[in-house]
């Protein structure tokens, strides 16, 4: 057993994760042993002399690990997975161990560009410099810092000017989704403006290790602050594309002054000092962070890509087509096609219409063909202006839509976040509805708004396949109504969508992209976990797991490595005691468990970096350690071990959660080619 020593890289850690009902789930539900964690992969493992004689690496094969069995392993980030390395002369290095190295943990003190101390994951006002303080308990006053690391991008820039870097300068952009609770135990979810930070790291030229050197908190005042930033991706033009999940319902704010659960008033108060200063139409969009050579950054927000519960966006190789995950009950699959490559500030928005080709109540997740409904075309500036203008009127959201609770002539029945309502668009407000009330408008236009928790999206460019994580398969996917009728699988699954050219929308107009999804189905899995790339619900085992531990459960993050031909899958499950990261080889169909995170934590921050200065990384992180609810055989001892590893702790209702999360990478995977 080892203990975490996660200071500025070079830490080998065990870990575990406990299957509590995950935060977002609860909120939205109504042999060669290298003790490691899957936070990134580097080309440091193996004997370089042998490797040089064998030639280039041609293939990596993951040898999966068993589910962690001891509390010591469950309480930390853990892996004893290995890889087989195949070389061009046909030789194979067997069972080369992986290991985990931390870059930083939230709550640690780092240095900003001016050399001043700064708290990693700290919360600030949108000006980027004024700290937000937790004053909830006398004598425990401190700056809020996040326990919810999420979307992460490792970037390389030319001509970096960050001082004190002896190796290669690189940059890690990380967004922090939320703060679980204050020191008094009150939930802070969604009530603070989400931070995004750029950490300048020193990449060792020999080992590839990444050491944090500088931390910059990105000011967000120019984009009205940020709301619940979830997963992220890196654009082909080397920027970090962020997200804003669970867009605040402007209709509810118009009618009652707040969103359901009372989050938006608190967010407005904490962000702007007033319960009514924030405009809900400013949130639910796509922030884009551009890193500068000195390690600072600028941010802009794209308002023309639809306002949805966006998990993340994935840009296709044409640098114009964008697929988007919609983490929602009764959500859709959306596509945006930019007018100009590398520029997301204008384009056309589409929503998917599915036709089921498999039998009703399919147990394998179903199979579908996909058509696309054009919702509208716009540029970001005009939609931001619309948002400002409409919210300044007395009618507010009612200037765009009207919503009633019973069937009414002229109104369309839709399900918004799983709740039935009847909606119409006000005359002449179609563009505003398309881009500011996207969920409702897509439903009115006939899109298949039935997915339950459609989360991460990633791309296999060689095969022209997109992979989509469906965290749960339930409710609007299995109720027999609408376009989708499949068997309920709370453990979720991963779907594959074929991408094609020469497609037309439902109005018979040509779609200007060669990367349009046309089919949608769950891929196969080979032995030892034969079946489909689905989870499997079951009665609780001795550890409380209600998903089969040898299958995925509630997939959330998905990222694809073109060089390794491998899909990495991170779990956000309340049904596994330890959430895990899996590696799925798309050629052999073999699924391998490669990492578990601390009990109660969620796997986040995945990114596959095949080669950066001759090193390979798979970035990964975790959030909300120790946050689980069901009983385990050694509940109290396990909880104490997690809190010892990732504390200090904070109360959260009747529970106690760890206040720290971590950003890092797996070490031990060589570059292919």
């Amino acid at each position: 057993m080892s203990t975490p020593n996660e200071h500025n890289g070079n830490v080998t850690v065990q870990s575990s994760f406990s299957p509590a009902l995950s935060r977002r789930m609860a909120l939205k539900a109504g042999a060669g042993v290298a003790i490691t964690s899957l936070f990134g992969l580097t080309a440091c493992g193996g004997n370089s002399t042998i490797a040089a004689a064998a030639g280039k690496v041609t293939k990596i094969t993951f040898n999966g690990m068993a589910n962690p069995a001891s509390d010591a392993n469950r309480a930390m980030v853990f892996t004893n997975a290995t890889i087989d390395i195949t070389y061009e002369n046909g030789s194979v290095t067997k069972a080369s161990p992986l290991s985990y190295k931390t870059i930083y943990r939230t709550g640690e003190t780092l240095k900003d560009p001016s050399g001043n101390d700064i708290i990693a994951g700290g919360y600030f006002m949108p000006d980027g410099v004024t700290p937000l303080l937790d004053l909830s308990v006398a004598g425990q006053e401190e700056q809020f810092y996040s326990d919810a690391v999420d979307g992460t991008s490792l970037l390389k820039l030319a001509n970096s000017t960050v001082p004190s870097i002896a190796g290669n300068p690189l940059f890690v952009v990380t967004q922090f989704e939320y703060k679980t609770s204050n020191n008094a135990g009150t939930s802070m979810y969604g009530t603070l403006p989400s931070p995004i930070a750029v950490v300048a790291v020193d990449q060792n030229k020999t080992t590839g290790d990444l050491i944090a050197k500088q931390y910059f908190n990105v000011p967000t005042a120019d984009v009205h602050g940020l709301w619940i930033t979830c997963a992220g991706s890196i654009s082909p033009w080397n920027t970090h594309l962020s997200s804003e999940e669970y867009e605040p319902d402007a209709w509810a704010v118009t009618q009652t002054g707040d969103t359901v659960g009372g989050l938006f008033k608190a967010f407005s108060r904490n962000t702007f000092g007033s319960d009514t200063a924030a405009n809900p139409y400013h949130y639910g969009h796509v922030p884009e962070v551009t890193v500068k050579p000195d390690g600072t950054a600028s941010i802009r927000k794209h308002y023309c890509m639809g306002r949805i519960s966006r998990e993340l966006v994935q840009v296709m190789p044409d640098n114009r087509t964008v697929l988007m995950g919609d983490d929602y009950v009764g959500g859709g699959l959306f596509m945006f096609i930019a007018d100009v490559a590398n520029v997301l500030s204008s384009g056309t928005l589409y929503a998917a219409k599915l036709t089921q080709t498999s039998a009703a109540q399919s147990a394998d997740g179903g199979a579908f063909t996909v058509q696309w409904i054009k919702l509208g075309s716009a540029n970001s500036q005009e939609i931001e202006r619309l948002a400002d203008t409409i919210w300044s009127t007395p009618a507010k959201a009612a200037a765009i839509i009207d919503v009633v609770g019973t069937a009414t002539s002229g109104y369309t029945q839709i399900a918004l976040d799983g709740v039935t309502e009847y909606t119409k668009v006000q005359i002449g407000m179609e563009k505003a509805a398309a881009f500011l009330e996207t969920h409702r408008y897509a439903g009115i236009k006939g899109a298949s708004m039935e997915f339950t928790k459609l989360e991460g999206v990633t791309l296999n460019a060689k095969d022209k396949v997109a992979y989509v994580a469906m965290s749960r398969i339930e409710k609007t996917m299995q109720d027999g109504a609408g376009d989708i009728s499949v068997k309920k699988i709370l453990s979720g699954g991963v779907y594959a969508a074929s991408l094609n050219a020469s497609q037309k929308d439902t109005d018979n107009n040509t779609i200007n992209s060669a990367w349009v999804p046309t089919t949608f189905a769950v891929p196969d899995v080979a032995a030892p976990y034969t079946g489909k790339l689905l989870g499997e619900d079951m009665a609780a085992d001795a550890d409380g797991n209600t998903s089969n531990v040898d299958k995925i459960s509630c997939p959330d993050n998905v990222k694809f490595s073109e060089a390794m031909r491998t899909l990495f899958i991170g779990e956000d499950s309340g049904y596994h005691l330890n959430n895990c990261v899996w590696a799925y080889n798309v050629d052999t169909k073999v699924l391998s468990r490669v990492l578990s995170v601390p009990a109660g934590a969620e796997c986040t921050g995945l990114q596959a970096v095949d080669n950066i200065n001759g090193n390979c990384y798979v970035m990964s992180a975790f959030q909300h350690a120790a946050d689980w609810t069901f009983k385990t055989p050694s509940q109290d001892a396990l909880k104490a071990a997690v809190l010892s590893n990732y504390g200090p702790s904070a109360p959260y209702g009747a529970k106690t959660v760890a206040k720290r999360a971590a950003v890092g990478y797996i070490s031990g995977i060589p570059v292919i080619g």
Side-chain angles (χ1 to χ4, degrees):
M1 167 179 160
S2 64
T3 56
N5 178 22
E6 302 177 15
H7 296 284
N8 296 331
N10 301 337
V11 59
T12 297
V13 183
Q14 283 188 1
S15 170
S16 99
F17 169 82
S18 119
L21 183 64
S22 86
R23 180 72 33 69
R24 290 180 293 169
M25 201 170 175
L27 285 166
K28 302 307 290 182
V33 176
I35 296 174
T36 81
S37 119
L38 186 112
F39 284 52
L41 307 165
T42 72
C44 310
N47 185 296
S48 59
T49 303
I50 295 173
K56 295 179 180 179
V57 174
T58 59
K59 185 173 71 172
I60 300 295
T61 302
F62 287 90
N63 305 308
M65 68 184 221
N67 201 51
S70 70
D71 282 353
N73 293 343
R74 289 169 175 167
M76 296 179 282
V77 182
F78 172 77
T79 182
N80 57 8
T82 66
I83 56 172
D84 294 345
I85 307 168
T86 302
Y87 299 92
E88 62 183 344
N89 71 351
S91 64
V92 179
T93 298
K94 291 282 191 178
S96 181
L98 303 177
S99 64
Y100 169 69
K101 298 185 179 182
T102 297
I103 300 172
Y104 68 92
R105 298 194 300 169
T106 62
E108 291 182 336
T109 300
L110 301 175
K111 295 294 184 181
D112 71 12
S114 298
N116 300 313
D117 288 349
I118 189 168
I119 301 298
Y123 281 87
F124 296 85
M125 295 288 283
D127 63 12
V129 296
T130 305
L132 287 166
L133 303 180
D134 182 354
L135 306 177
S136 62
V137 177
Q140 296 183 32
E141 297 85 355
E142 63 180 354
Q143 183 180 4
F144 282 112
Y145 60 89
S146 179
D147 60 330
V149 170
D150 216 304
T152 298
S153 296
L154 178 64
L155 305 174
K156 176 183 177 180
L157 299 180
N159 304 316
S160 169
T161 59
V162 178
S164 303
I165 290 183
N168 300 311
L170 299 175
F171 302 93
V172 178
V173 185
T174 300
Q175 55 203 45
F176 304 91
E177 189 176 8
Y178 55 83
K179 172 71 174 176
T180 294
S181 65
N182 63 20
N183 286 330
T186 302
S187 174
M188 298 302 294
Y189 180 89
T191 64
L192 299 171
S194 291
I196 291 186
V198 179
V199 173
V201 296
D202 189 338
Q203 183 194 45
N204 187 288
K205 293 182 179 181
T206 302
T207 67
D209 290 347
L210 303 178
I211 309 298
K213 289 294 186 179
Q214 175 182 289
Y215 185 102
F216 177 73
N217 180 69
V218 180
T220 61
D222 289 346
V223 296
H224 316 288
L226 299 176
W227 165 272
I228 311 180
T229 53
C230 194
S233 63
I234 185 170
S235 72
W237 49 93
N238 210 35
T239 59
H240 174 81
L241 298 174
S242 181
S243 60
E244 293 181 305
E245 193 175 53
Y246 307 136
E247 83 284 10
D249 183 4
W251 178 260
V253 177
T254 297
Q255 300 301 308
T256 70
D258 208 347
T259 54
V260 175
L263 297 184
F264 197 67
K265 270 187 179 179
F267 170 83
S268 182
R269 181 168 58 252
N270 291 327
T271 304
F272 301 110
S274 163
D275 286 1
T276 59
N279 176 346
Y281 285 132
H282 286 157
Y283 310 101
H285 302 286
V286 179
E288 181 175 13
V289 175
T290 301
V291 180
K292 302 176 182 180
D294 64 355
T296 63
S298 62
I299 190 169
R300 63 188 304 185
K301 195 179 284 188
H302 300 291
Y303 298 91
C304 57
M305 300 178 71
R307 185 172 166 271
I308 60 174
S309 182
R310 189 174 283 100
E311 178 78 9
L312 57 63
V313 301
Q314 175 65 54
V315 183
M316 300 294 111
D318 63 356
N319 293 10
R320 296 176 54 251
T321 306
V322 184
L323 295 183
M324 299 180 277
D326 184 23
D327 187 357
Y328 213 59
V329 175
L333 178 63
F334 293 90
M335 176 175 66
F336 176 80
I337 301 177
D339 293 333
V340 179
N342 302 355
V343 179
L344 300 180
S345 58
S346 67
T348 301
L349 179 64
Y350 297 86
K353 174 73 172 178
L354 275 66
T355 299
Q356 189 159 338
T357 57
S358 59
Q361 290 298 297
S362 300
D364 62 357
F368 308 86
T369 58
V370 185
Q371 294 178 289
W372 292 91
I373 299 169
K374 179 180 175 179
L375 300 183
S377 299
N379 66 62
S380 184
Q381 190 175 44
E382 68 175 315
I383 301 304
E384 185 181 15
R385 280 199 303 264
L386 271 175
D388 292 342
T389 300
I390 289 166
W391 200 249
S392 69
T393 68
K396 299 188 184 302
I400 304 176
I401 55 169
D402 190 34
V403 179
V404 297
T406 58
T408 303
S409 178
Y411 289 69
T412 301
Q413 178 180 330
I414 65 169
L416 190 77
D417 199 16
V419 178
T420 298
E421 66 177 39
Y422 301 84
T423 306
K424 75 171 184 178
V425 177
Q426 305 290 19
I427 296 172
M429 298 302 287
E430 289 79 9
K431 179 174 283 192
F435 293 95
L436 295 175
E437 289 286 347
T438 308
H439 275 130
R440 291 184 167 99
Y441 190 66
I444 291 170
K445 295 287 285 183
S448 300
M449 302 299 289
E450 300 167 53
F451 292 121
T452 48
K453 307 283 286 180
L454 191 162
E455 306 219 33
V457 181
T458 192
L459 172 68
N460 170 355
K462 179 182 178 181
D463 298 334
K464 295 193 73 171
V465 173
Y467 299 98
V468 177
M470 201 72 65
S471 187
R472 301 199 299 274
I473 299 172
E474 59 168 344
K475 297 180 180 177
T476 47
M477 292 186 72
Q478 54 90 208
D479 61 5
D483 300 326
I484 301 173
S485 176
V486 297
K487 181 182 177 181
K488 181 178 181 178
I489 308 174
L490 289 175
S491 304
V494 175
Y495 287 77
S498 59
L499 307 172
N500 294 280
S502 304
Q503 301 302 303
K504 293 180 180 289
D505 64 22
T506 54
D507 292 327
N508 205 37
N509 295 313
T510 298
I511 300 175
N512 186 20
S513 172
W515 299 89
V516 179
T518 57
T519 64
F520 200 75
V522 179
D524 295 326
V525 175
Y529 309 130
T530 304
K532 292 285 186 177
L533 198 50
L534 294 165
E536 180 183 344
D537 302 342
M538 67 178 195
D541 66 11
D543 292 318
N545 296 297
T546 54
S547 287
N548 187 331
V549 296
D550 289 328
K551 296 186 178 182
I552 62 174
S553 181
C554 301
D556 186 314
N557 280 208
V558 286
K559 294 292 181 180
F560 189 73
S561 165
E562 293 285 345
M564 289 183 276
R565 301 282 294 162
T566 296
L567 176 67
F568 293 97
I569 304 167
E571 298 178 334
D572 175 14
S573 174
Y575 312 126
H576 274 173
L577 178 58
N578 283 85
N579 277 339
C580 296
V581 175
W582 301 78
Y584 172 72
N585 186 286
V586 299
D587 297 321
T588 66
K589 311 298 184 186
V590 172
L591 180 67
S592 306
R593 184 191 292 107
V594 294
L595 169 96
S596 61
V597 294
E602 168 190 346
C603 304
T604 63
L606 277 178
Q607 181 200 7
V609 184
D610 286 331
N611 188 348
I612 189 165
N613 297 325
N615 293 273
C616 170
Y617 302 85
V618 173
M619 308 301 293
S620 183
F622 69 84
Q623 61 177 239
H624 60 74
D627 180 13
W628 80 92
T629 55
F630 61 79
K631 280 289 184 180
T632 62
S634 55
Q635 173 105 348
D636 294 341
L638 178 56
K639 175 80 74 167
V642 176
L643 296 176
S644 176
N645 292 336
Y646 299 103
S649 62
Y652 176 50
K655 299 181 291 184
T656 304
V657 296
K659 292 171 68 172
R660 295 183 189 268
V663 179
Y665 59 94
I666 284 197
S667 177
I669 298 179
V671 168
I672 293 178

